[in-house]
Amino acid sequence: MSTKNLVTREPETMLELARRTEPPLPGSNRTHEYLSALEQKVLWLACWMIHHANHERASRDGLKVGGHQASCASVATLITALYFDVLRPGDRVAVKPHASPMFHAIQYLLGRQSRDKLERFRAFGGAQAYPSRTKDTDGVDFSTGSVGLGAAMTLFASLTQDLLHERGLLPEGEPKGRMVAIVGDAELDEGNIFEALLEGWKHDVRNVWWVIDYNRQSLDRVVPERLFSKIEDFFGAVGWQVVTLKYGKLLEAAFARDHGPALRQWIDDCPNDLYAAITFKGGSAWREHLTRDLGHLAGIRALLAEHDDAALARLMTNLGGHDLELVLEAFHSVTDDRPHCFIAYTIKGFGLPFAGHKDNHAGLMTQDQMATFKQAHRVPDGKEWDRFAGLDIDPDELAAFCAAVPFASRTEAHATPPVPVPASLPMGRRAARAATQEAFGRIMGELARDGGELATRIVTTSPDVTVSTNLGAWVARRSVFNRTEHADVFKAQKVASSQLWAESRRGQHVELGIAENNLFLMLAALGLAGPLFGERLLPVGTLYDPFIARGLDALTYASYQDARYLLVATPSGITLAPEGGAHQSVATNLIGIGQPGLLAYEPAYADELAVMMRFAFEHLQADDGESIYLRLSTRPIPQPERAMTDALADAILAGGYWLRQPAPGSELALVGSGAVLPEVLEAADALADDLPGLGVLVVTSADRLHAEWRAAQGGRGDGAEAGPTTLERLLAPLAADASLITVLDGHPATLAWLGSAGGRRVYPLGVDRFGQSGDIPDLYREYQIDAAAIIDRAARACQDRLQRP
Ligand SMILES: Cc1ncc(C[n+]2csc(CCOP(=O)(O)OP(=O)(O)O)c2C)c(N)n1
Ligand SMILES: [Mg+2]
């Protein structure tokens, strides 16, 4: 249901609600006054920004623009306290997605955001709907949007900071930054939160603050009260300090009066939905309920008599998360680096006409409501974007205050210069037969042994598949990261093991439990070490290819914020034969093509992999680079005897090369990718008599070929000069109407589009059903990627050609 304009209420009541600034409490200094004023202004600007986007800007497409005024309002006090007082320059923040306008308003007040961007909130080129590292220009530390990920990301960023610190890469003597998340309470329904908390506990995570905007509302509803006590317990169980800000100082003062404890009990017992509904209804509803339930108590009768409806509403909604002084006290009383969870009770839509209404998530103030709101905030017409209009404090004073807040002196971190990458990577012993996964392990082992500066910047990580993805040799030399040193107990006990597993403060491998979300968040944090902490790391993550899907949203999240990492996914496909369908990936190649910011390669041979890995370490660091995804296999296959030339390396990186050059004008060609090359070559041999000069094209990156082809089309559409693409050049020797048989152990659509590049017919072979246990011959036959299937398609292609007009 669209909740746009769903609620109206009496303007007078609204005015009372909107006028929230309490007179400065005795003993409070000017800071409190400034912060109160700024809190109001931030809320005004955020609500106006959303209103402007929806009501003042002309719509060309009839779409509702949206924005979340209620979600902004509940976090006003917390976010003001943080940015204008508590945060230090080295702190990094993930702001809950729906408070994006609050973040942008704050940056505007701090002089880090332009008015133009605010006026174009949610419009092309304007401030983004949800804070975005890459699209916003006002210093977003962590993108948010997919709930749960931003919070968890801060935890992995803190681990990254620890890792840099232990390795002496951060300036001595400077305090570590706090990784702060401003979190919506419903975000804690996401399982990835708890996966992250467990991982954080294992790693003794420090310097993380999660500030939970506990408005007890999600998108659809008011959430039940019992849930959060469990969540609170969980934080405690994993070593977090939980600070609950339930009641503000007004309410605490009321509780201290005669029969005050009965009032506290009444609110404590009040179901969340009832509290929210009465909040929405306002002062008279509070009076009615309290009179009915507690009117027999003289102290309560006196309290009701002393408060008019507006004052009563203010009192009864005086929750901890809206009490600036309390919030500041709570933040400033943290003196250690333990992870802290602040559970701040708030009201969704606080100070807005739909405060507490269960449908307020997407609620927008109407024109009339905005007019009243504007009046309450004393913003003159035409001064809506003014930084300090309508406040009781001299604008110059406020500007000076803003300029002096600690956070304002922050400068963005810039990564140190690129880490040099050698011209080739050491491959170790060459074998006549090799699997790409095994080759990966060998290259990493060689890097660990003598990888120079490059190796010192590599950090590997894996969700409990370090050994089975062949990172063992790397870990044996570079050890597992742990702030507490730990020898390999099996070694100390002289128990034979091929895996050496020492844990060290300078370790270069982060061992994670089996949670792929955590892997991708760890990669995201390591991959942002440069922009976040000013020191570059080159993260390498390994996992089984099918389980990319398990962490796919976190992978997307990592790429969305342009974190750079090398993802090595292995084993892949039905080639994993006996392991069966649960472990056999089918659609990951399509993820490789479809995922922005991630360049996918699938090597067939070990020497291709070495070229790709070398390139990856360079490309991760390039300004216009991307992350790299390598899809590997455990199948040992005969290796071509060849020297790696520059031309071959270039072709491998560009997306493909002819393993067997086609005769000019060939009417058919075989195209293969990855572990199926032996079948392709077997079929080519079998067809050689009938089709002399039959070419075999190895596609090393369908993703790269596709991207280049698409880009070239765009370029040509713009009238720009563009030469033939790699794919067009590769296919040029073939007849214009040649047929292509494409084969891979993955989804056939990966290569099925190849014909479009030059109007050639494609016969795509690949896997589009779930796999099962078997051996490679059985499975390749069953799924039609064996030599016989290739030969069959070749014969069909030849027949089809004969029948063409
Ligand atoms: C992974 C994911 N699923 C669903 C959504 C859609 N969604 C946006 S906000 C929201 C509820 C948020 O509630 P809460 O975190 O409590 O935020 P607040 O109450 O402060 O708005 C949902 C389900 C989303 N953004 N991300
Ligand atoms: Mg909520």
Side-chain angles (χ1 to χ4, degrees):
M1 176 180 81
S2 166
T3 56
K4 188 172 173 178
N5 304 345
L6 83 167
V7 272
T8 51
R9 51 186 313 162
E10 294 306 309
E12 306 81 62
T13 325
M14 241 201 81
L15 251 164
E16 301 289 355
L17 274 175
R19 234 181 239 140
R20 300 166 41 213
T21 326
E22 298 298 326
L25 292 170
S28 65
N29 57 22
R30 296 281 288 164
T31 300
H32 185 275
E33 275 180 62
Y34 294 138
L35 293 176
S36 284
L38 290 167
E39 177 192 359
Q40 270 207 64
K41 185 49 77 180
V42 170
L43 178 62
W44 159 259
L45 282 170
C47 289
W48 173 250
M49 196 185 311
I50 296 167
H51 185 81
H52 180 269
N54 285 275
H55 294 288
E56 310 282 318
R57 239 174 23 215
S59 166
R60 296 189 301 177
D61 52 15
L63 288 185
K64 172 185 166 183
V65 178
H68 301 86
Q69 291 170 333
S71 305
C72 286
S74 64
V75 84
T77 318
L78 299 166
I79 199 168
T80 301
L82 283 170
Y83 276 97
F84 289 101
D85 192 61
V86 177
L87 291 178
R88 299 187 299 234
D91 296 342
R92 299 284 178 257
V93 191
V95 176
K96 71 168 188 172
H98 300 78
S100 177
M102 300 293 275
F103 172 79
H104 294 304
I106 287 170
Q107 304 313 314
Y108 176 63
L109 291 173
L110 291 173
R112 303 163 63 90
Q113 172 66 296
S114 70
R115 171 172 163 178
D116 173 62
K117 296 265 184 197
L118 300 192
E119 288 187 20
R120 288 190 291 140
F121 172 60
R122 289 189 167 226
F124 189 67
Q128 296 297 296
Y130 306 111
S132 163
R133 272 192 67 82
T134 56
K135 297 289 187 296
D136 280 317
T137 51
D138 51 351
V140 172
D141 291 322
F142 304 106
S143 300
T144 54
S146 178
V147 299
L149 295 180
M153 178 72 186
T154 57
L155 189 150
F156 291 99
S158 182
L159 289 180
T160 299
Q161 181 178 232
D162 285 346
L163 200 130
L164 290 168
H165 187 264
E166 295 296 335
R167 299 205 21 223
L169 292 170
L170 296 182
E172 268 306 313
E174 267 186 35
K176 284 190 194 169
R178 291 166 303 194
M179 303 298 117
V180 180
I182 301 171
V183 189
D185 50 343
E187 296 196 53
L188 276 79
D189 283 334
E190 287 287 0
N192 86 275
I193 289 276
F194 299 91
E195 295 175 4
L197 285 173
L198 285 172
E199 200 60 57
W201 174 77
K202 288 187 231 165
H203 288 272
D204 190 23
V205 72
R206 303 268 136 184
N207 299 298
V208 190
W209 285 13
W210 286 4
V211 179
I212 297 174
D213 176 6
Y214 187 35
N215 59 27
R216 289 145 293 130
Q217 281 188 249
S218 58
L219 190 158
D220 282 337
R221 62 170 186 156
V222 178
V223 298
E225 35 282 329
R226 292 197 336 267
L227 180 65
F228 236 70
S229 65
K230 294 287 163 212
I231 290 175
E232 224 175 309
D233 292 349
F234 191 86
F235 276 100
V238 290
W240 285 52
Q241 181 70 44
V242 178
V243 180
T244 302
L245 306 176
K246 187 162 186 182
Y247 296 118
K249 300 210 166 183
L250 290 180
L251 267 177
E252 288 293 353
F255 297 155
R257 296 168 47 134
D258 271 358
H259 295 120
L263 179 65
R264 179 198 291 271
Q265 195 62 50
W266 187 89
I267 306 182
D268 279 345
D269 293 344
C270 186
N272 287 345
D273 48 4
L274 180 60
Y275 182 89
I278 305 176
T279 298
F280 173 72
K281 288 169 80 176
S284 60
W286 286 116
R287 188 174 306 282
E288 185 189 322
H289 280 267
L290 290 173
T291 306
R292 191 182 60 209
D293 296 344
L294 300 178
H296 57 285
L297 302 172
I300 302 298
R301 279 201 305 278
L303 182 121
L304 292 174
E306 283 167 31
H307 290 75
D308 65 13
D309 280 357
L312 185 62
R314 195 158 54 234
L315 172 70
M316 293 300 289
T317 57
N318 175 240
L319 299 184
H322 296 306
D323 188 315
L324 184 58
E325 208 177 57
L326 186 76
V327 165
L328 288 169
E329 271 170 25
F331 288 151
H332 284 301
S333 63
V334 178
T335 52
D336 58 24
D337 64 359
R338 278 182 71 181
H340 273 69
C341 170
F342 299 90
I343 300 178
Y345 278 68
T346 57
I347 288 166
K348 192 155 172 170
F350 190 59
L352 307 186
F354 31 66
H357 196 291
K358 71 180 173 57
D359 303 337
N360 65 10
H361 184 75
L364 296 173
M365 281 186 260
T366 62
Q367 293 282 22
D368 286 349
Q369 289 171 331
M370 178 46 79
T372 310
F373 186 66
K374 187 170 162 184
Q375 200 189 338
H377 281 257
R378 288 174 292 169
V379 176
D381 285 343
K383 297 279 184 196
E384 291 86 354
W385 297 108
D386 196 289
R387 283 188 162 84
F388 305 119
L391 302 175
D392 287 331
I393 302 174
D394 175 45
D396 291 342
E397 255 183 77
L398 270 175
F401 177 80
C402 287
V405 304
F407 177 82
S409 67
R410 126 184 178 144
T411 49
E412 304 306 327
H414 294 289
T416 43
V419 179
V421 179
S424 63
L425 295 187
M427 289 182 59
R429 182 182 50 84
R430 298 231 181 186
R433 298 172 75 84
T436 47
Q437 172 172 319
E438 165 201 342
F440 165 70
R442 249 183 300 122
I443 293 170
M444 289 301 294
E446 293 297 320
L447 277 173
R449 199 202 318 251
D450 191 17
E453 194 181 342
L454 172 64
T456 66
R457 293 283 169 161
I458 292 174
V459 176
T460 57
T461 182
S462 185
D464 201 27
V465 290
T466 299
V467 172
S468 51
T469 56
N470 279 35
L471 269 178
W474 165 267
V475 172
R477 285 190 182 271
R478 298 281 167 160
S479 68
V480 176
F481 174 67
N482 191 334
R483 294 213 315 256
T484 319
E485 304 267 335
H486 231 304
D488 185 319
V489 173
F490 279 74
K491 186 176 175 217
Q493 293 293 324
K494 299 194 168 42
V495 179
S497 164
S498 55
Q499 305 293 334
L500 185 62
W501 198 267
E503 299 186 10
S504 146
R505 294 171 53 206
R506 303 182 71 81
Q508 284 181 250
H509 173 76
V510 181
E511 179 69 7
L512 302 169
I514 323 171
E516 286 71 17
N517 275 307
N518 284 343
L519 169 74
F520 290 114
L521 293 173
M522 187 76 246
L523 288 173
L526 293 168
L528 289 174
L532 290 176
F533 305 111
E535 285 293 332
R536 219 176 264 277
L537 290 175
L538 301 174
V540 178
T542 67
L543 87 169
Y544 294 175
D545 194 55
F547 303 131
I548 284 181
R550 185 68 175 253
L552 189 53
D553 195 33
L555 180 157
T556 300
Y557 178 67
S559 294
Y560 179 67
Q561 36 191 347
D562 200 25
R564 301 290 179 78
Y565 54 91
L566 169 58
L567 177 64
V568 179
T570 182
S572 60
I574 59 168
T575 305
L576 185 56
E579 279 286 304
H583 281 62
Q584 295 168 349
S585 55
V586 175
T588 45
N589 299 85
L590 300 180
I591 293 172
I593 292 180
Q595 190 70 37
L598 187 68
L599 171 53
Y601 283 103
E602 179 154 8
Y605 301 115
D607 59 355
E608 293 175 11
L609 175 68
V611 167
M612 292 169 186
M613 286 177 65
R614 196 210 75 80
F615 167 73
F617 290 126
E618 217 167 58
H619 196 57
L620 299 187
Q621 303 188 66
D623 286 345
D624 58 352
E626 295 150 289
S627 294
I628 304 277
Y629 159 32
L630 301 177
R631 187 175 188 262
L632 307 187
S633 169
T634 41
R635 182 187 189 192
I637 63 172
Q639 301 292 301
E641 275 183 34
R642 61 188 178 191
M644 183 53 64
T645 61
D646 287 350
L648 179 56
D650 289 348
I652 287 167
L653 296 176
Y657 63 92
W658 287 104
L659 185 60
R660 290 189 186 170
Q661 195 65 33
S666 290
E667 294 177 353
L668 184 83
L670 305 186
V671 183
S673 216
V676 297
L677 255 298
E679 280 64 33
V680 179
L681 292 173
E682 185 189 337
D685 289 343
L687 292 164
D689 285 348
D690 293 332
L691 297 167
L694 174 68
V696 173
L697 179 68
V698 176
V699 170
T700 50
S701 175
D703 185 19
R704 186 102 200 218
L705 293 178
H706 186 261
E708 191 196 356
W709 175 57
R710 289 253 311 130
Q713 283 185 329
R716 286 168 196 170
D718 296 343
E721 280 297 312
T725 62
T726 301
L727 183 61
E728 286 164 330
R729 269 190 290 104
L730 282 169
L731 299 185
L734 305 179
D737 61 348
S739 305
L740 306 175
I741 316 293
T742 62
V743 200
L744 78 159
D745 179 4
H747 199 282
T750 310
L751 297 173
W753 61 274
L754 288 184
S756 306
R760 296 179 177 89
R761 184 173 292 195
V762 171
Y763 296 77
L765 294 170
V767 179
D768 53 9
R769 290 173 290 143
F770 286 119
Q772 58 189 295
S773 292
D775 65 8
I776 288 178
D778 275 344
L779 293 184
Y780 278 20
R781 187 184 63 246
E782 171 67 19
Y783 292 84
Q784 295 274 289
I785 54 172
D786 61 351
I790 298 169
I791 293 164
D792 172 77
R793 293 306 186 282
R796 195 175 299 176
C798 293
Q799 254 175 18
D800 287 351
R801 283 182 67 80
L802 290 175
Q803 284 163 12
R804 278 190 224 167

